[in-house]
Amino acid sequence: LIFLLVGITTVVIDLFVYVFLATGINLNYDFAKGVGFVIGTIFSFFANGKLTFARKSLNYLILFKFLCLYSFSLFLNITINQLIIKSLLETSNYFWYAFIIATSVSALLNFIGMKFYVFSDKKI
């Protein structure tokens, strides 16, 4: 439940920044998507580390693993977003479809990665 609440908040932050940059000041969709994702990522690291996975401390190894996961997730998120925008350009809601699908895929990947790799006490 906590992961879901943190995730929703992260997505709202990502979406707000994305929409503001892409439609408010007309920046490139890929750049806007990346910036929104990065700002959401910063929030996610601290909120998930402290609240979702109840880590008393967040060290450099955890940060490194988190950044590796989110770097891959960012690449995947932007790629999916871009592919959907290009393939649905003539659809009236392409912008929203792309955001929702790209965000859903990266959120699933992030949860699995954080649970079993980033915030896990098991050695991998």
Side-chain angles (χ1 to χ4, degrees):
L1 182 60
I2 295 171
F3 179 79
L4 184 61
L5 293 173
V6 169
I8 289 169
T9 305
T10 300
V11 170
V12 168
I13 292 168
D14 182 358
L15 178 62
F16 176 78
V17 173
Y18 179 42
V19 170
F20 174 73
L21 294 177
T23 63
I25 58 177
N26 294 318
L27 289 180
N28 174 279
Y29 284 124
D30 295 341
F31 180 76
K33 187 67 185 100
V35 172
F37 188 89
V38 167
I39 292 173
T41 297
I42 293 166
F43 171 79
S44 178
F45 175 72
F46 290 105
N48 277 309
K50 293 293 186 176
L51 302 174
T52 305
F53 298 101
R55 297 298 298 221
K56 290 186 172 111
S57 65
L58 300 172
N59 60 41
Y60 289 111
L61 177 60
I62 292 171
L63 177 60
F64 176 75
K65 292 190 312 186
F66 185 87
L67 291 175
C68 287
L69 172 65
Y70 266 68
S71 293
F72 179 71
S73 184
L74 172 62
F75 169 77
L76 190 64
N77 189 298
I78 291 173
T79 300
I80 291 169
N81 190 72
Q82 182 182 67
L83 290 171
I84 293 170
I85 284 176
K86 287 181 180 179
S87 65
L88 296 178
L89 198 53
E90 295 182 20
T91 306
S92 62
N93 291 320
Y94 70 92
F95 183 86
W96 299 107
Y97 293 138
F99 181 85
I100 290 167
I101 293 168
T103 300
S104 297
V105 170
S106 63
L108 179 62
L109 172 67
N110 289 340
F111 177 76
I112 292 167
M114 282 189 276
K115 180 170 179 68
F116 296 107
Y117 176 63
V118 175
F119 297 112
S120 174
D121 288 328
K122 296 178 183 174
K123 303 287 185 203
I124 294 180

